[in-house]
Amino acid sequence: QLQLVESGGGLVQPGGSLRLSCAASGFALDYYTIGWFRQAPGKEREGVSCITVSRSTYYADSVKGRFTISRDNAKNTVYLQMNSLKPEDTAVYYCAKGAYSSVSRNPGDYDYWGRGTQVTVSS
């Protein structure tokens, strides 16, 4: 059964760091684009970052220079390193498997989703 499980969320002070993990099972993620999305209360789900099979990457303007996406195919896991966190980064973060091989920030281009992990940035 195909599954994505996020971990690594939590409460962190502004300026702090977290590393999110997205562990895949039931398929080899090195054949697919994997994306990270987030959704804050009352807001639409937005694309944060993604990484393709060829390791092309996308970052939302709001996280460029602060977040880094990477993949470890041997561990079947994708990571999102988040530095210099801000209160506006507070959201539930989801990883998702792309239905296509291209870079995309559109949630409609992803066909399997994890359940999410909460990230709260607050002093």
Side-chain angles (χ1 to χ4, degrees):
Q1 182 178 357
L2 194 151
Q3 193 173 18
L4 294 165
V5 179
E6 303 93 339
S7 62
L11 173 63
V12 64
Q13 292 186 341
S17 298
L18 286 173
R19 187 177 79 157
L20 304 184
S21 299
C22 172
S25 60
F27 74 104
L29 60 73
D30 48 342
Y31 292 109
Y32 301 95
T33 291
I34 301 296
W36 282 98
F37 294 79
R38 66 186 181 187
Q39 189 165 19
K43 294 189 176 181
E44 292 186 352
R45 190 168 297 188
E46 66 167 334
V48 174
S49 182
C50 75
I51 186 166
T52 68
V53 173
S54 61
R55 299 180 188 266
S56 295
T57 57
Y58 158 81
Y59 295 96
D61 287 343
S62 58
V63 307
K64 278 181 183 175
R66 302 188 296 123
F67 291 11
T68 303
I69 192 169
S70 62
R71 62 196 306 159
D72 186 335
N73 293 338
K75 294 183 178 180
N76 219 29
T77 300
V78 170
Y79 302 98
L80 186 68
Q81 178 67 43
M82 306 187 297
N83 299 328
S84 301
L85 283 161
K86 304 175 181 180
E88 51 264 43
D89 295 317
T90 295
V92 178
Y93 283 71
Y94 301 87
C95 66
K97 169 189 161 295
Y100 310 105
S101 60
S102 57
V103 168
S104 176
R105 63 177 182 178
N106 180 7
D109 290 335
Y110 292 79
D111 54 8
Y112 287 92
W113 294 78
R115 293 187 174 182
T117 184
Q118 176 70 47
V119 171
T120 302
V121 185
S122 175
S123 55

